[in-house]
Amino acid sequence: MRLTIVPLTFRQACEFIDAHHRHHRPPRGMKFAIGVARGGELVGVATAGRPVARCLDDGITLEVTRSCTVGEPNANSKLYGAVWRAARAMGYLRLVTYTQAGESGASLRAAGLVPVADLRPRSGWTTTSRPRQPRGVDGVRRTRWEISSGTIVSGDSSCGSAVSADTAGQNGQVRQ
């Protein structure tokens, strides 16, 4: 049986992520979710939403906020490819996502994404004025991955950008 892309509701995606994701809780919101099934059984999900990094939230960039499978071969790369096709159909010109140190990124490479920035570990989101519970994902190096169509003009350098081959310029504008 082959892998099939299926539509999902926010609730379905969150339930799957809650049950199967190694280190993240379900996202707080999303633009859309996509699932992948084998023989009618859901074996993976991906959610896409606005970029978490404010400097990437330019109206033309979408972020894969969660990707989660039960270990089904090729499910992750199929999800990333489907998210990118849907994002382009919706008018987005760039898709970004992140891996943690120790994750190979093989599924991302298979879907055409390339690493564009190595990011230092975050100390966490808690502050004295707004304490937050640790989630176990702080203090980990990350890599930002990207795929784009057209030429995207990179925004703020504080996002830790390493400019990709088809990313250049300033102010988050699109060059035609």
Side-chain angles (χ1 to χ4, degrees), residues 8 18 21 29 42 48-50 60 67 69 72-73 76 79 87 94 98 101 105 123 135-136 142 145 157-158:
L8 292 180
D18 199 37
H21 204 285
L42 190 62
R50 291 175 52 197
I60 57 171
S67 177
T69 72
E72 184 72 32
N76 246 341
L79 285 166
R94 176 171 47 188
Y98 299 84
S123 59
R135 304 262 191 267
R142 295 162 294 129
W145 297 75
S157 63
S158 68

Side-chain angles (χ1 to χ4, degrees), residues 133-157:
Q133 294 294 323
R135 304 262 191 267
V137 294
D138 296 323
V140 177
R141 291 193 73 78
R142 295 162 294 129
T143 300
R144 185 171 61 240
W145 297 75
E146 177 179 306
I147 188 168
S148 63
S149 57
T151 302
I152 309 298
V153 180
S154 180
D156 187 346
S157 63

